[in-house]
Amino acid sequence: PDTDSVSLDELMPMDKWALVKLNELITKVSGAYDKYEFHQVYHSVRNFCVIDMSNFYLDVLKDRLYTEKQDSKSRRAAQTTIYIILDALTRMISPILAYTSEEIWKYIPHKATHDSESILFNQMPKTVDVKVTDDFMLTWEKIHNLRDDVKKALEEAVKAKKIKKSLDAKVVLNCGGEYFDFAKSVEGELKSAFIVSDVEVKDAGTTDASSLAIDIELAQGEKCERCWEHSTTVGQNSEHPTLCARCVNVLK
């Protein structure tokens, strides 16, 4: 972890969001232990794992981990973040899930400052020194909420047999007023956050800040056999005719 990790400043925005949520969990768990409220530890850890990690961060992270170059900074940033979270979670659960935490501790890599013999010989985690603004967190909470709406639209499109899975889709966001300004400002983050092949933000021509209509279309182009995204660049490279331009670049 010491040699493969990147600095906190080099993390991607979503990685920083995940570490801020981890900091919130560490604070809750520390306070609960101080009050011997072990049920609060359980509920806080479970909600973090299910809502913040499984339903959002880890779901979105798969593309970066599976398709980017092994030594790319974006992939290493993801691995760095996952390691920090796993290390902290293992420490937090050790008082109430001793055998489980010991088994995890036995297999994960350790830093020089760790006592590798037992998780119980190590300190509880401290909050991570990741620097973000309140506006940053508000932006990602909005993306999170928008993703929930898009997921519902994608599920309906699958039921209607317009698409088979989310990566078949292009999401068109028709919005107005402040909603349009917001969606346009984060448009570059939305494709990966929604786990789709394309996203387009359109001005609905209204000043209503709450105006939002989500259209699901079949994404243009062919399916890349490596990343499974649909792209018009598939077939443009003679050496790799079944891959998109991004995947061709990764294999260089």
Side-chain angles (χ1 to χ4, degrees):
D2 291 322
T3 56
D4 296 334
S5 62
V6 301
S7 69
L8 296 180
D9 291 336
E10 295 176 293
L11 298 179
M12 307 288 280
M14 187 176 290
D15 302 327
K16 294 181 179 180
W17 174 86
L19 291 184
V20 172
K21 302 303 285 187
L22 175 67
N23 283 345
E24 293 175 0
L25 176 67
I26 290 172
T27 301
K28 288 179 184 177
V29 167
S30 177
Y33 275 132
D34 287 343
K35 298 176 182 177
Y36 299 98
E37 295 178 345
F38 303 118
H39 65 288
Q40 291 292 353
V41 174
Y42 165 78
H43 286 300
S44 298
V45 169
R46 181 188 180 280
N47 288 343
F48 173 79
C49 290
V50 173
I51 298 172
D52 297 326
M53 293 293 102
S54 181
N55 288 353
F56 186 47
Y57 181 66
L58 296 178
D59 196 26
V60 174
L61 209 61
K62 292 174 187 175
D63 180 73
R64 236 199 295 170
L65 292 172
Y66 294 163
T67 63
E68 294 296 324
K69 284 186 178 181
Q70 184 175 353
D71 60 348
S72 68
K73 185 164 288 187
S74 63
R75 188 172 185 271
R76 286 169 59 208
Q79 292 172 310
T80 299
T81 306
I82 292 173
Y83 179 81
I84 292 172
I85 292 170
L86 178 60
D87 177 79
L89 272 176
T90 307
R91 294 167 186 262
M92 278 187 276
I93 66 172
S94 60
I96 57 175
L97 291 171
Y99 291 112
T100 301
S101 59
E102 285 286 15
E103 187 169 1
I104 297 170
W105 195 251
K106 182 169 64 176
Y107 288 104
I108 65 174
H110 295 296
K111 295 184 177 181
T113 54
H114 292 174
D115 189 320
S116 60
E117 183 179 348
S118 171
I119 181 66
L120 299 177
F121 295 157
N122 295 269
Q123 299 293 320
M124 293 293 283
K126 297 180 180 179
T127 55
V128 184
D129 188 23
V130 57
K131 296 178 175 60
V132 299
T133 63
D134 291 341
D135 286 342
F136 173 89
M137 290 306 295
L138 181 59
T139 293
W140 277 96
E141 292 302 325
K142 288 181 178 179
I143 291 175
H144 200 311
N145 293 334
L146 179 57
R147 182 177 185 265
D148 289 340
D149 292 334
V150 170
K151 282 182 69 176
K152 292 176 184 177
L154 289 168
E155 289 169 2
E156 291 173 1
V158 171
K159 288 180 181 178
K161 298 184 178 180
K162 291 177 64 176
I163 57 173
K164 291 183 178 180
K165 54 185 180 298
S166 66
L167 283 175
D168 294 339
K170 172 184 178 180
V171 174
V172 181
L173 301 176
N174 299 282
C175 39
E178 294 178 4
Y179 215 131
F180 171 77
D181 295 336
F182 165 73
K184 203 66 180 174
S185 69
V186 297
E187 191 170 9
E189 301 282 357
L190 298 181
K191 184 166 78 78
S192 61
F194 298 162
I195 316 179
V196 295
S197 289
D198 195 13
V199 173
E200 182 180 1
V201 179
K202 289 185 176 181
D203 190 346
T206 175
T207 58
D208 184 0
S210 62
S211 173
L212 173 65
I214 302 171
D215 293 329
I216 306 298
E217 302 175 358
L218 188 64
Q220 295 183 343
E222 299 296 322
K223 176 184 174 181
C224 172
E225 69 174 15
R226 184 173 180 274
C227 70
W228 293 7
E229 286 188 12
H230 288 246
S231 173
T232 56
T233 64
V234 173
Q236 293 183 359
N237 186 284
S238 58
E239 293 184 24
H240 303 284
T242 60
L243 302 186
C244 66
R246 180 182 68 150
C247 287
V248 169
N249 187 58
V250 168
L251 295 178
K252 287 182 179 178

